[in-house]
Every structure is written in structure tokens, then in C-alpha cells.
Amino acid sequence: MKGNTKERIIESAKQLFADQGYQKTTIMDISRQAGLSDAALYEYFRGKEDLLIAIPDLWVRELLEDLDEQLFGIKGAANKLRKFLWWYIRRVEHAPLDAKIVYLHLKTNSNFLANEVYSNVKRLYSYILDIIEEGRSSGEFRADLMPNLARDVFVGTMDHLVTRWLLKDRSYSLFDNLENIFDIVMDGFKSNPSSGNRRTHETIPLAAEADVQGSEKC
Amino acid sequence: MKGNTKERIIESAKQLFADQGYQKTTIMDISRQAGLSDAALYEYFRGKEDLLIAIPDLWVRELLEDLDEQLFGIKGAANKLRKFLWWYIRRVEHAPLDAKIVYLHLKTNSNFLANEVYSNVKRLYSYILDIIEEGRSSGEFRADLMPNLARDVFVGTMDHLVTRWLLKDRSYSLFDNLENIFDIVMDGFKSNPSSGNRRTHETIPLAAEADVQGSEKC
DNA sequence: ATAATTACCTAATGTTATTAGGTTGATTAA
DNA sequence: TTAATCAACCTAATAACATTAGGTAATTAT
């Protein structure tokens, strides 16, 4: 047909991989859903693995292109990290199938590290490192905060949220409580202005809300 | 031979899965390394997937048994979390093949959530939740710290460290910088004793965080 | 001693990824 | 115009596995 065959294959594969998993999806499943024979698929991709990698490759590339623009004009390291998180989480929510493949099916693959997807993901995360370094030299973050470790905390938390959301079949919004989680992480980063802590307004006489755990704050 | 056939199979599978990945390891690889025919393996396991799950199942069960004892007698939530982290990281370093299967090859599997391994991992993590709750009610942690979110930060960071270490072929020690990372996370948890902060030896003249705008509730 | 059971085996069977080797119809080169 | 090339497919192998069928020989139970 037209030149959209490759896209049809990718779209079919994306759905099927995310839905049934990589192993349980057959080439026949994919080529049939794309309206082709098995053999024809091999005109577009070297094989099943190649196809698996092609999907997130495209997505991560898009992310990378968008990121600069998103952060443009935002002042302050904490604000930038915040923007990064909100932006990323929204992208994940809008492309859950791509995210699922990246988070659940790609790490399994031995070629992952050698792959371009991986280096692009690293580039994405290196933005975080830069922001943290900026925050440290401006004094917004603690002077003794090691940037690479702070990045590990940030990325680790973020990835954990996404992974669990995907495993739980995205049955809730990723934005639930995002604000609070971000605050917890940031509290570990920020300088301690020897007084007036943003969060000390409660200073509960403790023991009071022993068992409150669902709905918090205010 | 003796009654150790099942163990031999598990040991072979563990090595091969961790080394070549689940997909690229064949039943023949495993049964041959265990000194058996393919068919004999099916006397011990229902199939390849069943075998994959049997490995971490055993490991996680052991972890769970050991944990109570490890935490016994430790006072204070932060100290308990510290002990948990150090204990867990050491267990991972001592059983990297099991860890690799849990972290890289298991999530892929669609049966994972329905599986007992998953519920045991959850039970492991629920200890963390309990400790954090204890820390909050004792006043050691901030009163407005939502325990489940704090757990996400803790677990997320921990899992991130382990995952990267595994992906990088365990080419360094997981304990490098563990102390510093732990401190960063704890700083987000702990109450701010309106003075004398452990890390404030720098006490930057602030002014840098003039532009904090992030829609701060309350 | 005989029946049942254990711990294996070899040889199918069926599913899949991948390849060989076309066909068809359009485009280009002579 | 006609012959050659190429693109975009196809059907039908091939070969690698996972899994099953059906058997054997040795051990254990009755």
C-alpha cells in the first residue's frame, strides 16, 4: 500500500507487546494485525528484537527533542526539577504503551546497554544532573549534596512510581500525590535556612494523629 | 542420582538465565548443564516459566525469614531503615544472580503480579512502611510525612541503585556512597529540630531561593 | 514375589522465528 | 517501445525450541 506500512507494523507491535508481553506475541500476530504476511515484515525489520527496540527508540527521541523547550525560561533548580517531573509524568501518561516497553520489556534485553535507546535515556537523565549541579552552586541546594547521588534519588523515585503504575495496569493517576512526593525528595536537597522551615507549620504535639495515613495535610 | 536433582536444575537455570537472559536460554541448555535429558526436567518443573519463578521464590523467602532477626533490638526508625538498607544491599551483593532475575527478568512476566514472589516482595517492603510509621509517631520523622510516599522514595532509590549495578555487570561495589545516599533520603524524612541541623555546617546565606513558587498547598 | 513408584530416557509433536524463492505491477533505461 | 530493474508483497520451506507420549530399569512397598 502506501508508505505507512512501517508505521502500521510499529503500531501493531506496540499494542501487542504492551498487552501480551514480548514473548507471547508472535510475528504472525503482528503481521496479521498490520495486514501483511510474516515474510513481508522482515522487509522492514531485521527481526523481532529489532522491532522491540524500534518502538521506544522513536519515543525517547521525541522526548529528548521536546525537553529543552519545556525547561526554557524556568528559574531555579527546584522549579526546573518540578517541571521536569510533571512534564515526564505527563508524557508517560500519554504514551503508556511506549513507557511499558521501555520500563518492563527492554531491560531484559541484553542489547539494551549497547543500544541507542539507552544512551538517549541517559541523556535525558543527565539534564537532571545538570539542574542539580546548578542548584548546588546557586546555594539553593545544600553545598554538600553530591549531584550524582541526588540524581539517583530523583530518578529512582520517579522510575519507581512509573513502574508500579504500569504493573498495576495504570488503574490510577500518576499525579496523585506527586506533589507530596516531590516535596519529600526536595527536602533532602534543599539548603536548610536555619529557621522558618516551609513545612514546620504543623509541628503537631505528636501522638495526636497516630493512625492517620490516608488523607493527609491541611 | 541423589535427591539433589531439583537443586542442580535450579542452579543451572539461575546461572544461565542471569547470564544469557531468559529468552536466549533453552531448556536443553539447562537440562544438559544439570546432567539430564530435556524431558526429565519436566518431572521437576511444569515448564520454563515455572522454573524462572522458582528461583527468586526461594531467595525472597529466605530474605523474609532473616529480616525479623536482623532488625531485632535496633532502636529508632532511622537506624532501622539504615540496617534494612545495609542488610538488603549485602544480600543482593551475595546473591547477584537471584537479584538479577528478580529485577530484570521477572517484571516482564505477566504472571508476576499473581505470583507469590510478588506478594513476598511486597511483604518485604511493608516492613519499611511500618518503620516509617513508627518514626512518624515517635516524632523522629516529620509529622506530615506520608508513610506510603516516603516508602516510595526509599524503595525507589534502593531499587534504582540495585538495577543500575546489575545492568553495569556489578563492576563496582554497591556500598560506594551508600552512606551519602541514605543521608539524602533521610533528610527528607526527618523532623527539623528548629535548630542544630546535622548538616547545616554550611548554612548558606539563602537569598538564592527567592523564587520558590511551586504551588505550595496551605 | 509382585505391584507400584521413582527417576530417568528417546522419539514424537506442534509452535515459531526466519529464510528461500517467487509474483506482480510500476518505474526507469535503452 | 520494450527490456530491465525495483518495490512490495506473497507462499512454502527450514530449523530451533518447548512440551508430550510412551517407555525402561531400578528401587520400594505390600
Side-chain angles (χ1 to χ4, degrees):
Chain A
M1 309 226 162
K2 279 160 263 159
N4 63 351
T5 304
K6 193 165 183 174
E7 283 168 33
R8 281 204 329 275
I9 295 172
I10 287 190
E11 205 50 44
S12 304
K14 191 189 291 190
Q15 275 175 33
L16 290 164
F17 284 156
D19 206 48
Q20 321 176 330
Y22 176 74
Q23 304 161 48
K24 284 173 187 156
T25 301
T26 70
I27 291 288
M28 210 190 88
D29 290 342
I30 300 167
S31 56
R32 246 177 112 199
Q33 186 159 121
L36 282 172
S37 70
D38 294 12
L41 187 146
Y42 286 85
E43 299 284 326
Y44 297 90
F45 298 94
R46 291 227 199 104
K48 205 180 166 187
E49 285 216 341
D50 191 39
L51 185 47
L52 176 71
I53 287 172
I55 298 165
D57 182 62
L58 204 63
W59 182 58
V60 175
R61 219 184 284 273
E62 279 170 24
L63 289 184
L64 215 45
E65 272 175 26
D66 188 31
L67 183 52
D68 264 322
E69 190 190 343
Q70 293 288 332
L71 292 178
F72 182 72
I74 295 182
K75 190 175 176 191
N79 288 331
K80 279 184 185 150
L81 286 180
R82 193 175 196 284
K83 178 62 184 176
F84 186 107
L85 183 59
W86 262 250
W87 164 77
Y88 183 70
I89 293 296
R90 187 160 60 179
R91 297 295 299 235
V92 166
E93 276 203 352
H94 283 171
L97 303 186
D98 297 85
K100 192 162 185 177
I101 289 165
V102 171
Y103 277 89
L104 305 184
H105 297 286
L106 209 59
K107 283 180 193 151
T108 294
N109 200 293
S110 49
N111 312 59
F112 176 51
L113 286 166
N115 200 279
E116 194 166 8
V117 180
Y118 179 67
S119 68
N120 280 333
V121 169
K122 276 207 303 191
R123 209 174 309 171
L124 212 57
Y125 290 166
S126 79
Y127 274 77
I128 295 172
L129 191 66
D130 292 345
I131 297 172
I132 292 170
E133 268 164 357
E134 175 199 323
R136 196 178 62 154
S137 38
S138 77
E140 186 179 352
F141 292 162
R142 293 195 331 238
D144 64 343
L145 185 71
M146 289 167 78
N148 56 331
L149 306 186
R151 180 207 49 200
D152 291 343
V153 174
F154 191 88
V155 170
T157 302
M158 190 172 82
D159 282 0
H160 180 72
L161 294 176
V162 172
T163 303
R164 195 185 44 200
W165 180 72
L166 291 169
L167 282 175
K168 298 231 170 177
D169 268 326
R170 359 194 243 282
S171 50
Y172 53 93
S173 168
L174 266 176
F175 286 99
D176 294 347
N177 292 311
L178 196 58
E179 189 78 51
N180 291 302
I181 293 205
F182 181 73
D183 286 348
I184 293 174
V185 172
M186 280 306 107
D187 275 338
F189 291 5
K190 285 189 178 159
S191 295
N192 283 309
S194 36
S195 67
N197 188 290
R198 178 166 50 83
R199 289 186 150 275
T200 323
H201 58 273
E202 300 243 336
T203 321
I204 282 141
L206 48 103
E209 51 174 287
D211 52 343
V212 184
Q213 87 147 56
S215 56
E216 282 306 304
K217 71 183 177 217
C218 308
Chain B
M1 309 229 163
K2 280 159 263 154
N4 62 351
T5 304
K6 193 165 183 173
E7 284 168 33
R8 279 200 334 270
I9 295 171
I10 287 191
E11 205 50 44
S12 304
K14 192 189 288 189
Q15 276 176 31
L16 290 163
F17 285 156
D19 205 48
Q20 323 176 329
Y22 175 75
Q23 302 162 49
K24 283 174 188 155
T25 300
T26 70
I27 291 290
M28 210 190 87
D29 290 340
I30 299 167
S31 56
R32 243 176 113 201
Q33 186 157 124
L36 283 171
S37 70
D38 293 14
L41 188 147
Y42 287 85
E43 299 283 326
Y44 296 90
F45 299 94
R46 291 225 200 103
K48 205 179 165 186
E49 286 216 339
D50 190 37
L51 185 47
L52 176 72
I53 287 172
I55 297 166
D57 182 62
L58 204 62
W59 183 59
V60 175
R61 219 185 284 273
E62 280 170 24
L63 289 184
L64 215 46
E65 272 175 27
D66 188 32
L67 184 52
D68 263 322
E69 192 191 339
Q70 293 288 334
L71 293 178
F72 181 71
I74 295 182
K75 191 175 176 189
N79 287 331
K80 278 183 185 153
L81 286 180
R82 193 174 196 285
K83 177 63 184 173
F84 186 105
L85 183 59
W86 261 250
W87 164 77
Y88 183 70
I89 293 296
R90 188 160 60 180
R91 297 295 301 230
V92 166
E93 276 203 352
H94 283 169
L97 303 185
D98 297 86
K100 192 161 185 178
I101 290 165
V102 171
Y103 277 90
L104 305 184
H105 298 285
L106 209 61
K107 283 178 191 149
T108 295
N109 200 294
S110 50
N111 310 60
F112 176 52
L113 285 166
N115 199 279
E116 193 167 5
V117 180
Y118 179 69
S119 68
N120 280 334
V121 170
K122 275 205 307 192
R123 208 174 309 169
L124 212 57
Y125 290 166
S126 80
Y127 273 76
I128 296 172
L129 191 66
D130 292 344
I131 297 172
I132 293 169
E133 269 164 357
E134 175 200 321
R136 196 179 62 154
S137 35
S138 78
E140 187 178 352
F141 292 161
R142 294 196 330 238
D144 65 342
L145 184 70
M146 290 167 78
N148 56 331
L149 306 186
R151 180 207 49 199
D152 291 342
V153 174
F154 191 88
V155 170
T157 302
M158 190 172 81
D159 282 359
H160 180 73
L161 293 177
V162 172
T163 303
R164 196 186 42 198
W165 180 72
L166 291 169
L167 283 175
K168 299 233 168 177
D169 268 325
R170 0 195 242 284
S171 50
Y172 52 94
S173 167
L174 267 176
F175 286 98
D176 294 348
N177 292 312
L178 195 57
E179 189 80 51
N180 290 303
I181 293 203
F182 181 72
D183 286 347
I184 293 174
V185 172
M186 280 308 107
D187 274 338
F189 291 5
K190 285 189 178 159
S191 296
N192 281 310
S194 32
S195 67
N197 187 290
R198 176 165 51 81
R199 291 189 150 274
T200 323
H201 54 276
E202 302 256 347
T203 321
I204 281 127
L206 49 105
E209 50 178 36
D211 50 308
V212 181
Q213 49 95 255
S215 68
E216 246 16 85
K217 72 224 165 170
C218 300

